[in-house]
């Protein structure tokens, strides 16, 4: 056995056990000790015959990248992934998580220029030196949960059961060719340290014109950089939106990001956008109902327009105002599983109304929240209601856009009206062509289009959010009504606009919500 002391840095000539012990001391703690030990032992054994690379690894890890180091390579597998302790993952991601970023998502790595065997270079060997990669955090909508293939690799399925597990094994319901419907929204590296303000906006001026009197917090021109769509860095057909242009990063970490580098898609907004409607702002900007499974618990909580920021948490203060405390609510039918989930709500979420009615969410909890948002669906290129969005702790993201919602209302209502006219013409034996009302071809279901009801449009004005537990094909729960604790948020300004739209055109009888 070596007589090397624990405080001394080992070399490639030392016993594997000593090297593993030393490298274990530098792990970041995102993985279990067992998994970390297996992964490090596997790597050290593979490098035992390549002493210069093993020394490079030891130098890089024990100095936290302060000293330049060479590539540390292992053989590339057929599918590019490495299996450790029964789990498969990209090798450079596994070791970057172990020693640098425990919350790393696999599409956030970019190799440094001098790395000769980086994963993306498709060489026979793959460099797993964590300090040969930089982390590029997506500030906008993260499409890494989407696949362009017909079936999803298991490493893309996401699960959160009280633990931060970014790359879990697939559930039974999703293993058979389901496309991934849980889209991840990790925090940017600045999100957790910023004050709760409106960072990427210029300070709003005092309301001095009639067009902004009702909405003094309408933002002026955004100072954010435009977003650019990048193709995924791996060969599994992924897309990711990242901010551009990026500042240079250093080998062993990030330089400071600009103040406008935020977790959001950026639109070129005109300064002082006039309100969509001259109708006075509602007394309450939203109302929040809390549910356990399919049962509403407690009364609906209304948030005054004078409180643009409201916190929904798991504590017990009953005074209301800008805090809706779920911990104080009792339910005689509450199960042990629900009680257990409620314990993890913690600091919960912060909902912020911006401008005339846009809504942003900040996850304050130690656990992810799961959101149903038609705005995020659209940004991710999905059909409305087709995805569940996982918002990680400290993330701050836009979940509702009033103007987009208003456009959708108008389009759907117009489509319903045109379809109803076309259906009436079809019944009369006069099938409309492209030049007639609506131009809807008979191949499209006229009855479906004509059957758009008030509740279909009302869904556009509603957000749903589950604490701790997700739902959808990646989880055992298929509906949000099967999750232990969730909230439904009705957005009053959007409902006002919907009322105006409904007054302008006739529409079919409502369909039941869900």
């Amino acid at each position: 056995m070596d007589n090397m002391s624990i405080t001394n840095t080992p070399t490639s000539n030392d016993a594997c056990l000593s090297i593993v012990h030393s490298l274990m001391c530098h792990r970041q703690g995102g993985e279990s000790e067992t998994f970390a030990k297996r992964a490090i032992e596997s790597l050290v054994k593979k490098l035992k015959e390549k002493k210069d690379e093993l020394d490079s690894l030891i130098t890089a890890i024990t100095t936290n990248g302060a000293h330049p180091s060479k590539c540390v390579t292992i053989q590339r597998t057929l599918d590019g992934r490495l299996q450790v302790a029964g789990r498969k993952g990209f090798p450079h991601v596994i070791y970057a998580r172990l020693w640098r970023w425990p919350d790393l998502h696999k599409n956030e790595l970019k190799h440094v220029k001098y790395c000769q065997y980086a994963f993306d270079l498709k060489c026979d060997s793959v460099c797993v030196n964590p300090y040969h990669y930089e982390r590029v955090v997506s500030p906008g909508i993260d499409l890494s949960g989407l696949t362009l293939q017909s079936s999803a690799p298991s490493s893309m399925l996401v699960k959160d059961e009280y633990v931060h597990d970014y790359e879990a094994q697939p559930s039974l319901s999703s293993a058979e060719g389901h496309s991934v419907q849980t889209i991840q929204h990790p925090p940017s590296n600045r999100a957790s340290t910023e004050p709760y303000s409106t960072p990427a906006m210029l300070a709003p001026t005092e309301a001095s014109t009639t067009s902004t009197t009702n909405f003094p917090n309408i933002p002026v021109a955004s100072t954010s950089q435009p977003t650019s769509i990048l193709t995924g860095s791996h060969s599994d057909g992924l897309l990711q939106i990242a901010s551009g242009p990026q500042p240079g990063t250093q080998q062993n970490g990030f330089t400071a990001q600009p103040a406008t580098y935020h977790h959001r898609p950026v639109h070129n907004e005109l300064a002082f956008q006039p309100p969509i409607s001259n109708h006075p702002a509602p007394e309450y900007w939203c109302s929040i109902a809390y549910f356990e499974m399919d049962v509403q618990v407690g009364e609906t909580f209304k948030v005054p327009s004078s409180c643009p920021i409201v916190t929904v948490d798991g504590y017990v203060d009953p005074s209301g105002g800008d805090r809706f405390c779920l911990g104080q609510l009792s339910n005689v039918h509450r199960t042990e599983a629900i009680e257990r989930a409620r314990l993890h709500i913690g600091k919960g979420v912060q909902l912020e109304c911006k401008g005339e009615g846009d809504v942003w969410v900040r996850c304050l909890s130690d656990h992810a929240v799961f959101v149903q948002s038609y705005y995020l669906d659209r940004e991710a290129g999905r059909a409305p209601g087709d995805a569940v969005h996982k918002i990680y702790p400290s993330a701050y993201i836009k979940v509702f856009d009033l103007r987009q919602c208003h456009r959708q209302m108008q389009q759907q209502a117009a489509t319903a009206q045109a379809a109803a006219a076309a259906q009436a013409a079809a019944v009369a034996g006069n099938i409309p062509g492209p030049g007639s009302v609506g131009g809807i071809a008979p191949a499209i279901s006229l009855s479906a289009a004509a059957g758009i009801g008030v509740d279909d449009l009302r869904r556009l004005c509603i957000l749903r959010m589950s604490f701790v537990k997700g739902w959808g094909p990646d989880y055992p729960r298929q509906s949000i009504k099967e999750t232990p604790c969730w909230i439904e948020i009705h957005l009053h300004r959007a409902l006002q606009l919907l009322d105006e739209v409904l007054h302008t055109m006739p529409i079919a009888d409502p369909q039941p919500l869900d």
Side-chain angles (χ1 to χ4, degrees):
M1 182 71 180
D2 258 69
N3 58 0
M4 183 196 75
S5 71
I6 292 176
T7 54
N8 290 339
T9 302
T11 70
S12 58
N13 293 320
D14 288 305
C16 283
L17 194 62
S18 300
I19 299 171
V20 170
H21 177 80
S22 176
L23 296 178
M24 281 285 286
C25 294
H26 293 270
R27 68 189 181 95
Q28 294 298 305
E31 299 285 2
S32 69
E33 186 174 352
T34 304
F35 179 86
K37 191 172 182 183
R38 292 276 288 278
I40 295 171
E41 281 176 348
S42 169
L43 181 57
V44 170
K45 285 175 183 175
K46 287 173 182 170
L47 297 175
K48 251 314 188 178
E49 302 304 314
K50 298 188 281 187
K51 293 188 180 296
D52 57 334
E53 292 189 22
L54 183 51
D55 281 326
S56 282
L57 175 70
I58 294 167
T59 299
I61 302 307
T62 57
T63 66
N64 295 324
H67 294 252
S69 53
K70 299 176 185 175
C71 285
V72 176
T73 62
I74 61 173
Q75 188 72 27
R76 181 185 286 270
T77 59
L78 285 174
D79 67 353
R81 293 185 295 163
L82 179 70
Q83 183 156 326
V84 177
R87 284 169 49 187
K88 273 196 166 189
F90 294 111
H92 62 312
V93 177
I94 289 174
Y95 294 107
R97 279 185 190 158
L98 275 181
W99 285 310
R100 294 194 71 183
W101 306 290
D103 61 348
L104 178 73
H105 188 266
K106 62 185 173 128
N107 289 338
E108 294 178 337
L109 283 185
K110 175 185 173 187
H111 64 270
V112 295
K113 290 179 181 177
Y114 51 81
C115 183
Q116 296 176 299
Y117 296 97
F119 182 88
D120 298 334
L121 299 180
K122 305 288 193 298
C123 302
D124 289 340
S125 296
V126 178
C127 178
V128 294
N129 185 338
Y131 292 94
H132 277 204
Y133 295 89
E134 297 165 346
R135 187 177 187 182
V136 182
V137 179
S138 163
I141 301 302
D142 180 3
L143 302 189
S144 56
L146 300 179
T147 175
L148 304 184
Q149 301 169 348
S150 59
S151 63
S154 62
S155 61
M156 292 167 58
L157 300 172
V158 183
K159 193 171 183 182
D160 187 347
E161 301 289 346
Y162 303 137
V163 294
H164 304 304
D165 186 359
Y166 282 65
E167 204 167 328
Q169 297 302 307
S171 62
L172 292 175
S173 62
S174 59
E176 297 298 327
H178 254 300
S179 62
V180 174
Q181 295 195 6
T182 303
I183 301 174
Q184 300 176 72
H185 303 274
S188 71
N189 61 308
R190 289 175 55 91
S192 59
T193 58
E194 287 173 353
Y196 300 156
S197 60
T198 54
M201 302 292 184
L202 298 176
T205 58
E206 290 183 14
S208 55
T209 65
T210 54
S211 65
T212 58
T213 303
N214 290 330
F215 306 99
N217 59 339
I218 290 179
V220 296
S222 168
T223 59
S224 296
Q225 300 288 353
T227 57
S228 58
I229 298 181
L230 308 177
T231 53
S233 57
H234 302 311
S235 58
D236 48 6
L238 304 178
L239 293 176
Q240 185 176 348
I241 292 179
S243 175
Q246 296 290 336
T249 53
Q250 298 170 341
Q251 177 191 345
N252 60 344
F254 290 96
T255 55
Q257 301 294 338
T260 54
Y261 184 61
H262 287 286
H263 184 92
R264 68 187 224 185
V266 179
H267 304 281
N268 294 324
E269 294 179 316
L270 297 173
F272 303 110
Q273 280 190 324
I276 298 170
S277 166
N278 292 324
H279 200 288
E283 182 182 358
Y284 302 98
W285 71 265
C286 78
S287 53
I288 307 169
Y290 169 64
F291 293 83
E292 292 177 359
M293 308 296 276
D294 60 351
V295 176
Q296 182 173 347
V297 177
E299 295 181 2
T300 299
F301 184 88
K302 293 184 177 181
V303 184
S305 293
S306 57
C307 292
I309 298 178
V310 61
T311 302
V312 183
D313 59 39
Y315 304 128
V316 294
D317 186 346
S319 54
D322 62 353
R323 267 183 79 194
F324 183 19
C325 294
L326 306 179
Q328 56 159 330
L329 302 176
S330 58
N331 175 11
V332 293
H333 302 296
R334 184 171 293 151
T335 65
E336 188 180 340
I338 294 174
E339 192 62 71
R340 210 163 46 240
R342 280 168 51 85
L343 292 174
H344 293 273
I345 296 173
K347 294 179 182 177
V349 294
Q350 201 174 60
L351 304 172
E352 182 174 359
C353 181
K354 287 189 178 185
E356 190 176 350
D358 294 353
V359 180
W360 292 64
V361 167
R362 187 188 299 273
C363 180
L364 305 177
S365 173
D366 291 335
H367 298 279
V369 293
F370 297 81
V371 177
Q372 185 180 73
S373 158
Y374 287 178
Y375 168 76
L376 289 179
D377 292 344
R378 187 184 177 98
E379 291 296 307
R382 304 298 286 253
D386 188 42
V388 177
H389 301 268
K390 182 177 183 179
I391 300 181
Y392 284 93
S394 301
Y396 178 55
I397 188 169
K398 185 176 184 177
V399 293
F400 181 81
D401 184 285
L402 186 69
R403 288 179 185 275
Q404 184 199 86
C405 178
H406 187 237
R407 283 194 299 271
Q408 282 182 281
M409 287 175 195
Q410 291 174 315
Q411 288 166 3
Q412 287 194 24
T415 299
Q417 188 181 37
Q423 195 175 33
V427 169
N430 178 23
I431 302 292
S436 59
V437 126
I440 299 177
I444 297 174
S445 171
L446 296 180
S447 59
I452 296 174
V454 174
D455 276 357
D456 296 297
L457 296 176
R458 202 165 60 85
R459 284 187 185 93
L460 300 174
C461 313
I462 295 171
L463 295 168
R464 286 173 161 183
M465 184 182 303
S466 170
F467 295 96
V468 186
K469 298 286 190 177
W471 78 95
D474 305 337
Y475 296 89
R477 299 160 293 276
Q478 295 307 301
S479 158
I480 194 170
K481 292 182 178 180
E482 296 172 35
T483 62
C485 39
W486 58 281
I487 54 175
E488 185 170 87
I489 304 146
H490 290 242
L491 303 171
H492 293 193
R493 183 60 174 172
L495 288 165
Q496 268 189 344
L497 297 180
L498 174 58
D499 189 63
E500 290 184 8
V501 169
L502 293 176
H503 273 91
T504 63
M505 56 186 67
I507 190 162
D509 291 332
Q511 304 296 318
L513 185 63
D514 277 349

